[in-house]
Amino acid sequence: MTDAFSAASSADPLISPMIPRVARIVKRRREIADVVTLEIDGGAFDFAPGQFNMLTAFGVGEAAISVSGDPADSARLIHTIRAVGAVSRALTELHPGEPIGLRGPFGRGWPMQEAEGRDVIVVAGGLGLAPLRPALYRLFAEREKYGRIVLLFGARSPQDMLFRDELEQWRGRLDVEVEATVDHARGDWRGNVGVVTSLISRARFDPSRALAMLCGPEIMMRFVANAFLQMGVPPERVYLSMERNMKCAIGWCGHCQFGPVFICRDGPVFPYSQLRGLLAKKEI
């Protein structure tokens, strides 16, 4: 796996990983009320599932956004963004033809090679499905390399479910188990109601050969990770994608330091065995 810092340094020592290149928006799609997916013309772009880019809304600022597209399609660079602050809101308001700054890709992604030969359980909460989507594309494209594949997805309500068309397509596959749940719903919802952890005990997989990938709110990931541990999945095979306020993306500025690690450089994906003690400390 190659990040932008090592790639730029080896190719040309004069190229700074801190300088964004100018790209342009090709397509814009509203997923749900506060979430937009942007397709960016960034040229040929290789990334590993789970990596992120730094995106610049010129005149406003820069934010770390996970890549949410297919890693096999290097011609289409996809990011799914929730409008939660000034920068992310400005990014979601960009339209086709407008410029956007691009740095990356950065970070360590999902352990796709380690997952080979194992049952893979993917657990996503809310927008956490976006960073996991490239891993799902890879799992489906190379289906023969893996055992059982299970996707468990939780959202606040049916109206907050991301990528609903794809979820229905995936649910229709005979070689994948897909379950979704919502925290609350009106009478027209016929699916599960409850937290995503309630789906784990019903999923079909072998804990002795399982590997889990989790992304969502931190408290959700803590409960889900502990549920896997109780079922016998070892902590070194439970992976979490962490989120912190990233500025430089290469471990220089210290904004995303989490105990002894930097989320941008050492992550954002970590085995639970590495973070278990840190996540128990409220002050970090």
Side-chain angles (χ1 to χ4, degrees):
M1 185 182 304
T2 302
D3 61 24
F5 180 54
S6 57
S9 300
S10 60
D12 187 342
L14 299 179
I15 296 176
S16 171
M18 298 297 294
I19 299 176
R21 65 182 187 272
V22 179
R24 294 201 175 270
I25 305 300
V26 177
K27 292 181 181 178
R28 177 181 185 271
R29 170 189 170 94
R30 183 166 296 281
E31 302 289 352
I32 55 177
D34 58 349
V35 175
V36 166
T37 292
L38 299 178
E39 180 177 337
I40 300 169
D41 180 9
F45 195 93
D46 294 323
F47 70 95
Q51 287 189 301
F52 67 94
N53 286 319
M54 299 298 295
L55 301 183
T56 302
F58 292 111
V60 183
E62 187 180 49
I65 306 293
S66 294
V67 186
S68 61
D70 188 347
D73 187 355
S74 62
R76 299 175 69 240
L77 181 57
I78 310 293
H79 292 80
T80 301
I81 308 165
R82 168 165 282 146
V84 293
V87 178
S88 58
R89 187 169 302 280
L91 289 169
T92 62
E93 292 173 353
L94 293 174
H95 287 79
E98 293 188 290
I100 185 171
L102 173 65
R103 292 196 292 126
F106 297 107
R108 300 179 185 274
W110 300 108
M112 305 308 299
Q113 287 188 329
E114 183 184 344
E116 293 180 9
R118 299 190 179 279
D119 292 351
V120 182
I121 305 90
V122 176
V123 185
L127 191 65
L129 184 57
L132 282 162
R133 190 163 69 151
L136 289 164
Y137 285 142
R138 177 71 58 79
L139 290 169
F140 298 152
E142 301 178 352
R143 182 65 187 85
E144 71 283 355
K145 293 184 178 181
Y146 307 97
R148 291 184 177 274
I149 297 177
V150 179
L151 169 60
L152 307 177
F153 176 54
R156 289 174 295 184
S157 71
Q159 293 72 36
D160 295 309
M161 296 184 72
L162 282 181
F163 314 131
R164 291 194 68 163
D165 291 344
E166 281 189 311
L167 283 170
E168 288 304 315
Q169 293 174 13
W170 298 339
R171 193 191 298 269
R173 295 179 60 122
L174 299 178
D175 57 355
V176 177
E177 179 181 348
V178 178
E179 292 291 342
T181 187
V182 297
D183 295 338
H184 53 83
R186 295 190 296 267
D188 56 349
W189 170 252
R190 295 293 182 266
N192 298 298
V193 177
V195 294
V196 72
T197 49
S198 65
L199 301 177
I200 296 174
S201 61
R202 293 153 44 185
R204 292 174 295 173
F205 64 92
D206 180 355
S208 68
R209 65 191 297 256
L211 182 145
M213 304 180 187
L214 323 179
C215 189
E218 197 167 294
I219 189 169
M220 180 217 85
M221 292 194 294
R222 285 167 51 196
F223 278 102
V224 170
N226 285 326
F228 279 118
L229 265 58
Q230 292 173 10
M231 295 184 71
V233 181
E236 61 271 17
R237 294 211 305 268
V238 177
Y239 286 83
L240 296 71
S241 181
M242 298 294 294
E243 182 178 356
R244 285 295 185 275
N245 184 19
M246 302 183 200
K247 294 294 185 182
C248 71
I250 53 177
W252 285 356
C253 71
H255 275 79
C256 67
Q257 187 170 3
F258 187 58
V261 302
F262 294 93
I263 301 299
C264 68
R265 184 193 65 196
D266 305 314
V269 175
F270 295 89
Y272 188 55
S273 55
Q274 187 175 357
L275 299 181
R276 190 175 183 178
L278 295 173
L279 288 170
K281 300 181 185 296
K282 296 181 180 179
E283 67 272 15
I284 295 181

